[in-house]
Coordinates of all heavy atoms in Angstrom, one line a residue:
M263 N 3.1 10.8 2.7 CA 2.6 9.8 3.7 C 2.8 8.4 3.1 O 2.5 8.2 1.9 CB 1.1 10.1 4.0 CG 0.5 9.1 4.8 SD -1.3 9.3 5.0 CE -1.5 9.2 6.7
F264 N 3.2 7.5 4.0 CA 3.4 6.1 3.7 C 2.9 5.3 4.8 O 3.3 5.6 6.0 CB 4.9 5.9 3.4 CG 5.2 4.5 2.9 CD1 5.1 4.2 1.7 CD2 5.8 3.6 3.8 CE1 5.4 2.9 1.2 CE2 6.1 2.3 3.4 CZ 5.9 2.0 2.1
M265 N 2.0 4.3 4.5 CA 1.5 3.5 5.6 C 1.2 2.1 5.0 O 1.1 1.9 3.8 CB 0.3 4.1 6.2 CG -0.9 4.3 5.3 SD -2.3 5.1 6.1 CE -3.3 3.6 6.5
Y266 N 0.9 1.2 6.0 CA 0.4 -0.1 5.6 C -0.8 -0.5 6.4 O -1.0 0.0 7.6 CB 1.5 -1.2 5.7 CG 1.8 -1.6 7.1 CD1 1.1 -2.7 7.7 CD2 2.7 -0.9 7.9 CE1 1.3 -3.0 9.0 CE2 2.9 -1.3 9.2 CZ 2.2 -2.4 9.8 OH 2.4 -2.7 11.1
V267 N -1.6 -1.4 5.9 CA -2.8 -1.9 6.6 C -2.8 -3.4 6.4 O -2.7 -3.9 5.2 CB -4.1 -1.3 6.0 CG1 -5.3 -1.8 6.7 CG2 -4.1 0.2 6.0
P268 N -2.9 -4.1 7.5 CA -3.0 -5.6 7.3 C -4.3 -6.0 6.6 O -5.3 -5.4 6.8 CB -3.0 -6.1 8.8 CG -2.5 -5.0 9.6 CD -2.9 -3.7 8.9
R269 N -4.2 -7.0 5.8 CA -5.3 -7.6 5.1 C -5.2 -9.1 5.0 O -4.5 -9.6 4.1 CB -5.5 -7.0 3.7 CG -6.6 -7.5 2.9 CD -6.6 -6.9 1.5 NE -7.6 -7.5 0.6 CZ -7.3 -8.3 -0.4 NH1 -6.0 -8.5 -0.7 NH2 -8.2 -8.9 -1.1
G270 N -5.6 -9.7 6.1 CA -5.3 -11.2 6.2 C -3.9 -11.4 6.4 O -3.2 -10.7 7.3
E271 N -3.3 -12.2 5.6 CA -1.8 -12.4 5.6 C -1.1 -11.4 4.7 O 0.2 -11.4 4.6 CB -1.4 -13.8 5.2 CG -2.0 -14.9 6.2 CD -1.5 -16.3 5.8 OE1 -0.6 -16.4 4.9 OE2 -2.1 -17.2 6.4
D272 N -1.8 -10.5 4.0 CA -1.2 -9.5 3.1 C -1.0 -8.2 3.9 O -1.7 -7.9 4.9 CB -2.1 -9.2 1.9 CG -2.2 -10.5 1.0 OD1 -1.3 -11.3 1.0 OD2 -3.2 -10.6 0.3
L273 N -0.2 -7.4 3.3 CA 0.0 -6.0 3.7 C -0.5 -5.1 2.5 O 0.0 -5.3 1.4 CB 1.4 -5.6 4.0 CG 2.0 -6.3 5.3 CD1 3.4 -5.7 5.4 CD2 1.2 -5.9 6.5
V274 N -1.4 -4.2 2.8 CA -1.7 -3.2 1.8 C -0.9 -2.0 2.0 O -0.9 -1.4 3.2 CB -3.2 -2.9 1.9 CG1 -3.6 -1.8 0.9 CG2 -4.1 -4.1 1.7
V275 N 0.0 -1.6 1.1 CA 0.8 -0.5 1.3 C 0.2 0.7 0.5 O -0.2 0.6 -0.7 CB 2.2 -0.8 0.7 CG1 3.2 0.4 0.8 CG2 2.8 -1.9 1.5
I276 N 0.2 1.8 1.2 CA -0.4 3.0 0.6 C 0.6 4.2 0.8 O 1.1 4.4 1.8 CB -1.7 3.5 1.4 CG1 -2.7 2.3 1.4 CG2 -2.2 4.7 0.8 CD1 -2.8 1.5 2.6
G277 N 0.9 4.8 -0.4 CA 1.8 5.9 -0.4 C 1.0 7.1 -1.0 O 0.3 6.9 -2.0
S278 N 1.2 8.2 -0.4 CA 0.5 9.3 -0.9 C 1.3 10.6 -0.9 O 2.1 10.9 0.0 CB -0.7 9.6 0.1 OG -1.3 10.8 -0.2
G279 N 1.1 11.4 -1.9 CA 1.8 12.8 -1.9 C 0.8 13.8 -1.6 O 0.8 14.9 -2.2
G280 N -0.1 13.5 -0.7 CA -1.1 14.5 -0.3 C -2.1 14.8 -1.4 O -2.7 15.9 -1.5
G281 N -2.4 13.8 -2.2 CA -3.3 14.0 -3.3 C -2.7 14.4 -4.6 O -3.4 14.7 -5.6
S282 N -1.4 14.6 -4.6 CA -0.7 15.0 -5.8 C -0.9 14.0 -7.0 O -0.9 12.8 -6.7 CB 0.8 15.1 -5.6 OG 1.5 15.3 -6.8
A283 N -1.0 14.5 -8.2 CA -1.2 13.6 -9.3 C 0.2 12.9 -9.7 O 0.1 12.0 -10.5 CB -1.7 14.4 -10.5
A284 N 1.3 13.4 -9.3 CA 2.6 12.8 -9.6 C 2.8 11.5 -8.9 O 2.5 11.3 -7.8 CB 3.7 13.8 -9.2
T285 N 3.4 10.6 -9.7 CA 3.8 9.2 -9.2 C 5.0 9.3 -8.4 O 6.0 9.9 -9.0 CB 3.8 8.2 -10.3 OG1 2.6 8.2 -11.0 CG2 4.2 6.9 -9.8
A286 N 5.1 8.8 -7.2 CA 6.2 8.9 -6.4 C 7.3 7.9 -6.9 O 7.1 6.9 -7.4 CB 5.9 8.5 -5.0
N287 N 8.6 8.3 -6.8 CA 9.7 7.5 -7.3 C 9.8 6.2 -6.5 O 10.2 5.2 -7.1 CB 11.0 8.3 -7.2 CG 11.1 9.3 -8.3 OD1 10.5 9.2 -9.3 ND2 11.9 10.4 -8.0
W288 N 9.5 6.2 -5.2 CA 9.6 5.0 -4.4 C 8.7 3.9 -5.1 O 9.0 2.7 -5.1 CB 9.4 5.1 -3.0 CG 7.9 5.5 -2.6 CD1 7.4 6.7 -2.5 CD2 6.8 4.6 -2.5 NE1 6.1 6.7 -2.2 CE2 5.6 5.3 -2.2 CE3 6.7 3.2 -2.6 CZ2 4.4 4.8 -2.1 CZ3 5.4 2.6 -2.4 CH2 4.3 3.4 -2.1
Y289 N 7.5 4.4 -5.5 CA 6.5 3.4 -6.1 C 7.0 2.9 -7.4 O 6.9 1.7 -7.7 CB 5.2 4.2 -6.3 CG 4.2 3.4 -7.1 CD1 3.5 2.4 -6.5 CD2 4.0 3.6 -8.5 CE1 2.5 1.6 -7.2 CE2 3.1 2.8 -9.1 CZ 2.4 1.8 -8.5 OH 1.5 1.0 -9.2
R290 N 7.6 3.8 -8.3 CA 8.1 3.4 -9.5 C 9.2 2.3 -9.3 O 9.3 1.3 -10.0 CB 8.7 4.5 -10.3 CG 7.7 5.5 -10.8 CD 8.4 6.7 -11.5 NE 7.6 7.8 -11.6 CZ 6.8 8.1 -12.7 NH1 6.9 7.2 -13.8 NH2 6.1 9.1 -12.8
N291 N 10.1 2.5 -8.3 CA 11.2 1.6 -8.0 C 10.7 0.3 -7.5 O 11.1 -0.8 -7.9 CB 12.1 2.2 -7.0 CG 12.9 3.4 -7.5 OD1 13.1 3.5 -8.7 ND2 13.3 4.2 -6.6
L292 N 9.6 0.3 -6.7 CA 9.0 -0.9 -6.1 C 8.4 -1.8 -7.2 O 8.7 -3.0 -7.3 CB 8.0 -0.6 -5.0 CG 7.2 -1.8 -4.5 CD1 8.2 -2.8 -3.8 CD2 6.1 -1.3 -3.6
M293 N 7.7 -1.1 -8.1 CA 7.1 -1.8 -9.2 C 8.1 -2.4 -10.2 O 7.9 -3.5 -10.7 CB 6.0 -1.0 -9.9 CG 4.8 -0.6 -9.0 SD 4.0 -1.9 -8.1 CE 3.2 -2.8 -9.5
A294 N 9.1 -1.7 -10.4 CA 10.2 -2.1 -11.3 C 10.9 -3.4 -10.8 O 11.3 -4.2 -11.5 CB 11.2 -1.0 -11.6
A295 N 11.1 -3.3 -9.4 CA 11.8 -4.4 -8.8 C 10.9 -5.6 -8.7 O 11.3 -6.8 -8.6 CB 12.3 -4.0 -7.3
G296 N 9.6 -5.4 -8.6 CA 8.6 -6.5 -8.5 C 8.4 -7.0 -7.0 O 7.6 -7.9 -6.8
G297 N 9.1 -6.5 -6.1 CA 9.0 -6.9 -4.7 C 10.0 -6.2 -3.8 O 10.8 -5.3 -4.3
A298 N 10.0 -6.5 -2.5 CA 10.8 -5.9 -1.6 C 10.9 -6.7 -0.3 O 10.2 -7.8 -0.2 CB 10.3 -4.5 -1.2
E299 N 11.7 -6.3 0.6 CA 11.7 -6.9 1.9 C 11.1 -5.9 2.9 O 11.3 -4.8 2.9 CB 13.2 -7.2 2.4 CG 13.3 -8.0 3.6 CD 14.6 -8.4 4.0 OE1 15.1 -9.5 3.4 OE2 15.3 -7.7 4.8
V300 N 10.2 -6.5 3.7 CA 9.4 -5.7 4.6 C 9.8 -6.0 6.0 O 10.0 -7.2 6.3 CB 7.9 -5.9 4.4 CG1 7.0 -5.2 5.4 CG2 7.5 -5.5 3.0
Q301 N 9.8 -5.0 6.9 CA 10.0 -5.2 8.3 C 8.9 -4.5 9.1 O 8.8 -3.3 8.9 CB 11.4 -4.8 8.8 CG 11.6 -5.1 10.3 CD 13.0 -4.8 10.7 OE1 13.9 -4.6 9.9 NE2 13.2 -4.8 12.0
V302 N 8.2 -5.2 9.9 CA 7.2 -4.7 10.8 C 7.6 -5.2 12.2 O 7.6 -6.4 12.5 CB 5.8 -5.1 10.5 CG1 4.8 -4.6 11.5 CG2 5.4 -4.7 9.0
R303 N 8.0 -4.2 13.0 CA 8.6 -4.5 14.4 C 9.8 -5.5 14.2 O 10.7 -5.2 13.4 CB 7.5 -5.0 15.3 CG 6.4 -4.0 15.5 CD 5.3 -4.5 16.5 NE 4.1 -3.6 16.5 CZ 3.2 -3.6 15.6 NH1 3.2 -4.4 14.5 NH2 2.2 -2.7 15.7
A304 N 9.8 -6.6 14.8 CA 10.9 -7.6 14.7 C 10.7 -8.5 13.6 O 11.7 -9.3 13.3 CB 11.1 -8.3 16.0
D305 N 9.6 -8.6 12.9 CA 9.4 -9.5 11.8 C 9.8 -8.9 10.5 O 9.6 -7.8 10.2 CB 7.9 -9.9 11.8 CG 7.4 -10.6 13.0 OD1 8.2 -11.4 13.6 OD2 6.2 -10.4 13.4
R306 N 10.5 -9.8 9.7 CA 11.0 -9.4 8.4 C 10.7 -10.5 7.4 O 10.9 -11.7 7.6 CB 12.5 -9.1 8.5 CG 13.1 -8.6 7.2 CD 14.5 -8.4 7.4 NE 14.7 -7.2 8.2 CZ 15.8 -6.5 8.1 NH1 16.8 -6.8 7.3 NH2 15.9 -5.4 8.9
W307 N 10.2 -10.1 6.2 CA 9.9 -11.1 5.1 C 9.9 -10.4 3.8 O 9.8 -9.2 3.7 CB 8.6 -11.8 5.5 CG 7.4 -11.0 5.4 CD1 6.5 -10.9 4.3 CD2 6.9 -10.2 6.4 NE1 5.5 -10.1 4.6 CE2 5.6 -9.6 5.9 CE3 7.2 -9.8 7.7 CZ2 4.9 -8.6 6.7 CZ3 6.5 -8.9 8.4 CH2 5.3 -8.3 7.9
S308 N 10.0 -11.3 2.7 CA 10.0 -10.8 1.3 C 8.5 -10.7 0.9 O 7.6 -11.6 1.2 CB 10.7 -11.7 0.4 OG 12.0 -11.8 0.8
V309 N 8.2 -9.7 0.0 CA 6.9 -9.5 -0.5 C 6.9 -9.3 -2.0 O 8.0 -8.9 -2.5 CB 6.2 -8.3 0.2 CG1 5.9 -8.6 1.7 CG2 6.9 -7.0 -0.1
A310 N 5.8 -9.6 -2.7 CA 5.7 -9.3 -4.1 C 4.9 -8.0 -4.2 O 3.9 -7.8 -3.4 CB 5.0 -10.4 -4.8
A311 N 5.2 -7.2 -5.2 CA 4.5 -6.0 -5.5 C 3.4 -6.2 -6.5 O 3.7 -6.8 -7.6 CB 5.5 -4.9 -5.9
R312 N 2.2 -5.8 -6.2 CA 1.1 -6.0 -7.1 C 0.2 -4.7 -7.1 O -0.1 -4.2 -6.0 CB 0.2 -7.1 -6.8 CG 0.9 -8.5 -6.8 CD -0.1 -9.6 -6.5 NE -0.7 -9.5 -5.2 CZ -1.9 -9.7 -4.9 NH1 -2.8 -10.1 -5.8 NH2 -2.3 -9.6 -3.6
K313 N 0.0 -4.2 -8.3 CA -0.9 -2.9 -8.4 C -2.3 -3.3 -8.5 O -2.7 -4.2 -9.2 CB -0.4 -2.2 -9.6 CG -1.2 -0.8 -9.7 CD -0.6 -0.1 -10.9 CE -1.2 1.3 -11.1 NZ -0.7 2.0 -12.2
R314 N -3.2 -2.6 -7.8 CA -4.6 -2.8 -7.8 C -5.3 -1.5 -8.3 O -5.4 -0.6 -7.5 CB -5.1 -3.2 -6.4 CG -4.6 -4.5 -5.9 CD -5.1 -5.6 -6.9 NE -4.4 -6.9 -6.7 CZ -3.7 -7.5 -7.5 NH1 -3.5 -6.9 -8.7 NH2 -3.1 -8.6 -7.3
E315 N -5.6 -1.5 -9.5 CA -6.2 -0.2 -10.1 C -7.8 -0.3 -10.1 O -8.3 0.8 -9.9 CB -5.8 -0.1 -11.5 CG -4.3 0.3 -11.6 CD -3.9 0.6 -13.1 OE1 -4.6 1.4 -13.7 OE2 -2.9 0.0 -13.6
D316 N -8.4 -1.4 -10.3 CA -9.8 -1.5 -10.5 C -10.3 -2.7 -9.7 O -9.6 -3.6 -9.4 CB -10.2 -1.6 -12.0 CG -9.7 -0.4 -12.7 OD1 -10.0 0.8 -12.3 OD2 -9.1 -0.5 -13.8
G317 N -11.6 -2.7 -9.6 CA -12.3 -3.9 -9.1 C -12.5 -4.0 -7.6 O -12.1 -3.1 -6.9
S318 N -13.1 -5.0 -7.2 CA -13.5 -5.2 -5.8 C -12.3 -5.3 -4.9 O -12.4 -4.9 -3.7 CB -14.4 -6.4 -5.6 OG -13.8 -7.6 -6.0
E319 N -11.2 -5.9 -5.3 CA -10.1 -6.1 -4.4 C -9.5 -4.7 -4.1 O -9.1 -4.4 -3.0 CB -8.9 -6.9 -5.0 CG -7.8 -7.2 -4.1 CD -6.7 -8.1 -4.6 OE1 -6.7 -8.3 -5.9 OE2 -6.0 -8.6 -3.8
R320 N -9.4 -3.8 -5.1 CA -8.9 -2.5 -4.9 C -9.8 -1.7 -4.0 O -9.4 -1.0 -3.1 CB -8.8 -1.7 -6.3 CG -8.1 -0.4 -6.2 CD -9.1 0.7 -6.5 NE -8.4 2.0 -6.4 CZ -8.9 3.0 -5.7 NH1 -10.0 2.8 -5.0 NH2 -8.3 4.2 -5.7
D321 N -11.1 -1.9 -4.2 CA -12.1 -1.2 -3.3 C -12.0 -1.6 -1.9 O -12.1 -0.8 -1.0 CB -13.5 -1.4 -3.8 CG -13.8 -0.8 -5.2 OD1 -13.0 0.1 -5.6 OD2 -14.8 -1.2 -5.9
E322 N -11.8 -2.9 -1.7 CA -11.6 -3.4 -0.3 C -10.3 -2.8 0.3 O -10.3 -2.4 1.5 CB -11.5 -4.9 -0.4 CG -11.2 -5.5 1.0 CD -10.9 -7.0 1.0 OE1 -11.0 -7.6 -0.1 OE2 -10.6 -7.6 2.0
C323 N -9.2 -2.8 -0.5 CA -7.9 -2.2 0.1 C -8.1 -0.8 0.4 O -7.6 -0.3 1.5 CB -6.9 -2.5 -0.9 SG -6.4 -4.2 -1.2
W324 N -8.8 0.0 -0.5 CA -9.0 1.4 -0.2 C -9.9 1.6 1.0 O -9.6 2.5 1.8 CB -9.7 2.0 -1.4 CG -9.7 3.5 -1.3 CD1 -10.8 4.3 -0.8 CD2 -8.7 4.5 -1.5 NE1 -10.5 5.6 -0.7 CE2 -9.2 5.7 -1.2 CE3 -7.4 4.3 -1.9 CZ2 -8.4 6.9 -1.3 CZ3 -6.6 5.5 -2.1 CH2 -7.1 6.7 -1.7
S325 N -10.9 0.8 1.2 CA -11.7 0.9 2.4 C -10.9 0.6 3.7 O -11.1 1.3 4.7 CB -12.9 -0.1 2.3 OG -13.8 0.3 1.3
L326 N -10.1 -0.3 3.6 CA -9.2 -0.6 4.8 C -8.3 0.6 5.1 O -8.2 1.0 6.3 CB -8.3 -1.9 4.6 CG -9.1 -3.2 4.5 CD1 -8.2 -4.3 4.0 CD2 -9.6 -3.5 5.9
A327 N -7.7 1.2 4.1 CA -6.8 2.3 4.3 C -7.6 3.5 4.8 O -7.1 4.2 5.7 CB -6.1 2.6 3.0
A328 N -8.8 3.8 4.2 CA -9.6 4.9 4.6 C -10.1 4.8 6.0 O -10.3 5.8 6.8 CB -10.7 5.2 3.7
A329 N -10.3 3.5 6.5 CA -10.8 3.3 7.9 C -9.7 3.7 8.9 O -10.0 4.2 10.0 CB -11.2 1.8 8.1
V330 N -8.4 3.6 8.5 CA -7.3 3.9 9.3 C -7.0 5.4 9.2 O -6.7 6.1 10.2 CB -6.0 3.1 9.0 CG1 -4.8 3.6 9.7 CG2 -6.3 1.6 9.2
Y331 N -7.1 5.9 8.0 CA -6.8 7.3 7.7 C -7.9 7.9 6.8 O -7.8 7.8 5.6 CB -5.4 7.5 7.1 CG -5.1 9.0 6.8 CD1 -4.9 9.9 7.8 CD2 -5.1 9.5 5.5 CE1 -4.6 11.2 7.6 CE2 -4.8 10.8 5.2 CZ -4.6 11.6 6.3 OH -4.4 13.0 6.0
P332 N -9.0 8.4 7.4 CA -10.1 8.9 6.6 C -9.8 10.0 5.6 O -10.5 10.2 4.6 CB -11.1 9.4 7.7 CG -10.7 8.7 8.9 CD -9.2 8.5 8.8
G333 N -8.6 10.7 5.8 CA -8.2 11.7 4.8 C -8.0 11.2 3.4 O -8.2 12.0 2.5
F334 N -7.9 9.9 3.2 CA -7.7 9.3 1.9 C -9.0 9.6 1.0 O -8.9 9.8 -0.2 CB -7.4 7.8 1.9 CG -5.9 7.6 2.2 CD1 -5.6 6.7 3.2 CD2 -4.9 8.2 1.5 CE1 -4.3 6.3 3.5 CE2 -3.6 7.9 1.7 CZ -3.2 7.0 2.7
D335 N -10.1 9.5 1.7 CA -11.3 9.7 0.9 C -11.5 11.1 0.4 O -12.2 11.4 -0.5 CB -12.6 9.4 1.7 CG -12.7 7.8 1.8 OD1 -12.3 7.2 0.9 OD2 -13.3 7.4 2.8
S336 N -10.8 12.1 0.9 CA -10.9 13.5 0.4 C -9.9 13.7 -0.8 O -9.9 14.7 -1.4 CB -10.5 14.5 1.6 OG -9.2 14.4 1.9
Y337 N -9.0 12.7 -1.0 CA -8.1 12.9 -2.2 C -8.9 12.6 -3.4 O -8.6 12.7 -4.5 CB -7.0 11.8 -2.1 CG -6.0 12.1 -1.0 CD1 -6.1 13.1 -0.1 CD2 -4.9 11.2 -0.9 CE1 -5.2 13.3 0.9 CE2 -3.9 11.5 0.1 CZ -4.1 12.5 1.0 OH -3.2 12.6 2.0

């Protein structure tokens, strides 16, 4: 599963292998590149990749994602 959730002017990108412990290759590639180009409907722009492992910002991002797809909380 791959989805995004708006967070102000940011996009929170969530990728999941159904709770698998393995790290997805798309994620490794994104982090190695440091950014990407995103397209949502007709809008396209460049983004920077940032990992959020701990802290209140990560918790906020997770809450936004779980509100859209509650299954994340069961992972």
Side-chain angles (χ1 to χ4, degrees):
M263 172 187 227
F264 184 79
M265 65 180 263
Y266 75 91
V267 179
R269 178 179 171 251
E271 293 185 14
D272 294 336
L273 292 180
V274 176
V275 177
I276 302 98
S278 167
S282 172
T285 301
N287 286 334
W288 69 264
Y289 173 79
R290 293 177 196 266
N291 292 338
L292 176 62
M293 296 310 291
E299 188 171 275
V300 174
Q301 182 172 346
V302 177
R303 297 177 192 82
D305 296 326
R306 182 180 287 207
W307 65 100
S308 295
V309 295
R312 297 183 298 139
K313 183 176 182 178
R314 295 294 168 244
E315 292 185 49
D316 298 313
S318 62
E319 185 178 22
R320 188 247 182 229
D321 293 343
E322 178 189 356
C323 292
W324 188 263
S325 294
L326 290 169
V330 173
Y331 180 69
F334 280 130
D335 282 332
S336 66
Y337 292 4

